[in-house]
Amino acid sequence: MTVDEIQQNDAAGEHFGFVVGEGEIGARLDRFLAERPELVEAHLSRSRIKALIEEGRVSLRGAAVNDPAKKLSAGDAVTLDVPPPAPAEPQAEDIALNVVHEDAHLIVIDKPAGLVVHPASGHESGTLVNALIAHCGESLSGVGGVKKPGIVHRIDKDTTGLLVVAKTDAAHHGLSALFADHGRTLSLTREYLAFVWGVPDRAHGTIETYLGRHSIQRERMAVVPESRGREAITHWEKIADYGVASLIRCQLETGRTHQIRVHMAHIGHPLIGDSTYGAGFKTKVAKLPEAARAAVEKLGRQALHAATLGFEHPITGEEMMFESELPEDLAALMAALEQM
């Protein structure tokens, strides 16, 4: 795809613009839009996009179009206007937080498994945002919008570990710049510990692909051609070899949805407990010794932990580095694997 992208955020909602490339001649309008990485990042499903098309919020070559099945030609300019979400303001909820660091500008949280970061479809309450509103009161940054106050980055619901939240708008802008840079020129470190099936044949490596929404299973991400995805880079290092499994340290150079989970599965070493990307490895569980098998079955989630988070404080300039110990379930898994 040759893409000219426009994304504008304002009080009226969001405006996106794309140009159809040679490789997408004849594509359906709704599918073309559903595969744009920017719209995937914005959590716009194909059904939602179809509804927006039927509402007349999509233009093709400058004219409104309401047919989701409209076929596209090379060079077509497609624009999409997304209305602002209904102002359903999250409420404060008394949810315990493991606060690693807090000052007037930001707060660092060690997130447990099962906690969704911000309200979304199916998770309107019981999220980290609800807990933060109760903990921080009015001091959270408003840059993230009504449903994502202070949120600069996310980790999956069932991934544990460290994330930083902005309490002031100035901190939010500074942290957003750090995460957009991905640590390439600015000070940012994000390291994860991942227990994976099998043992890589090298001590370390780098995975560079493009990630986008799976063409059929829309809830999944996948390695896709450059035209359909965004660049994703993961550096990995083998920490421990358990024979049937291994412990890998992953350092993110980009921060795509499910990046580590997809990348490790892509090289043949999906995360233990990952039912989405490692389903084909379920038979390996039965071959484990009793203690290790019990630890895996008790896990009930992908074995992934955001263990290290380092960054330059956006206001004070202080270099900050935080470490999180493995949570109880992953520590038990490690102990069982070490005994094999």
Side-chain angles (χ1 to χ4, degrees):
M1 176 183 68
T2 303
V3 180
D4 291 331
E5 305 168 7
I6 306 168
Q7 181 176 354
Q8 178 180 334
N9 297 281
D10 54 33
E14 294 181 290
H15 176 77
F16 298 88
F18 308 95
V19 174
V20 178
E22 294 288 340
E24 290 149 340
I25 296 173
R28 283 175 55 114
L29 176 60
D30 57 350
R31 181 164 186 171
F32 169 81
L33 288 172
E35 292 178 348
R36 298 313 96 198
E38 295 76 16
L39 302 187
V40 171
E41 291 285 339
H43 301 286
L44 290 175
S45 66
R46 185 169 175 178
S47 60
R48 172 63 172 148
I49 289 170
K50 180 180 179 181
L52 290 171
I53 295 171
E54 292 172 343
E55 291 173 11
R57 295 186 178 276
V58 172
S59 295
L60 179 62
R61 297 185 295 275
V65 58
N66 56 14
D67 179 10
K70 178 72 175 178
K71 298 299 175 61
L72 301 176
S73 302
D76 281 348
V78 182
T79 61
L80 168 65
D81 289 299
V82 182
E89 187 170 346
Q91 300 300 306
E93 295 182 33
D94 186 14
I95 301 171
L97 290 175
N98 183 1
V99 178
V100 177
H101 169 84
E102 183 174 11
D103 58 38
H105 305 284
L106 55 83
I107 181 171
V108 178
I109 302 294
D110 197 339
K111 189 186 83 66
L115 182 63
V116 176
V117 171
H118 61 74
S121 178
H123 297 283
E124 295 296 338
S125 63
T127 71
L128 175 63
V129 162
N130 298 106
L132 287 167
I133 292 172
H135 180 86
C136 300
E138 298 296 323
S139 65
L140 279 180
S141 163
V143 175
V146 172
K147 290 200 172 186
K148 303 178 185 178
I151 300 302
V152 177
H153 66 122
R154 295 172 295 169
I155 55 179
D156 293 343
K157 171 188 174 184
D158 289 325
T159 297
T160 51
L162 299 166
L163 76 162
V164 59
V165 176
K167 293 175 65 176
T168 65
D169 290 353
H172 199 131
H173 288 301
L175 289 169
S176 294
L178 284 177
F179 279 86
D181 179 74
H182 303 304
R184 288 167 172 156
T185 62
L186 302 176
S187 175
L188 177 67
T189 300
R190 286 181 295 166
E191 292 183 350
Y192 289 70
L193 293 177
F195 292 87
V196 305
W197 289 115
V199 181
D201 57 6
R202 292 180 292 151
H204 55 82
T206 296
I207 308 168
E208 298 185 52
T209 70
Y210 292 88
L211 297 185
R213 189 68 64 179
H214 194 285
S215 60
I216 299 174
Q217 297 171 292
R218 304 301 295 172
E219 74 282 359
R220 297 180 57 180
M221 303 300 289
V223 172
V224 298
E226 180 180 357
S227 62
R228 288 183 46 218
R230 283 189 161 187
E231 182 184 39
I233 302 174
T234 304
H235 306 284
W236 62 267
E237 177 185 4
K238 183 167 56 180
I239 302 301
D241 178 346
Y242 305 117
V244 69
S246 52
L247 174 60
I248 305 295
R249 177 186 292 117
C250 296
Q251 183 168 346
L252 295 181
E253 188 173 323
T254 57
R256 309 305 177 203
T257 300
H258 298 178
Q259 179 172 318
I260 292 174
R261 298 167 64 188
V262 176
H263 269 174
M264 295 312 297
H266 179 64
I267 65 171
H269 300 287
L271 272 63
I272 292 175
D274 193 338
S275 60
T276 301
Y277 301 104
F281 283 69
K282 286 183 177 179
T283 55
K284 285 188 174 292
V285 178
K287 299 178 181 180
L288 295 174
E290 183 178 351
R293 183 170 66 251
V296 172
E297 292 173 348
K298 185 178 180 180
L299 194 60
R301 68 179 182 95
Q302 64 268 8
L304 184 62
H305 180 64
T308 304
L309 177 63
F311 55 89
E312 180 181 301
H313 195 291
I315 306 302
T316 68
E318 177 186 358
E319 287 290 341
M320 313 194 77
M321 185 66 70
F322 303 98
E323 301 281 346
S324 172
E325 297 291 332
L326 284 176
E328 184 177 344
D329 57 353
L330 294 185
L333 175 62
M334 174 186 277
L337 292 172
E338 288 176 341
Q339 293 173 8
M340 294 196 328

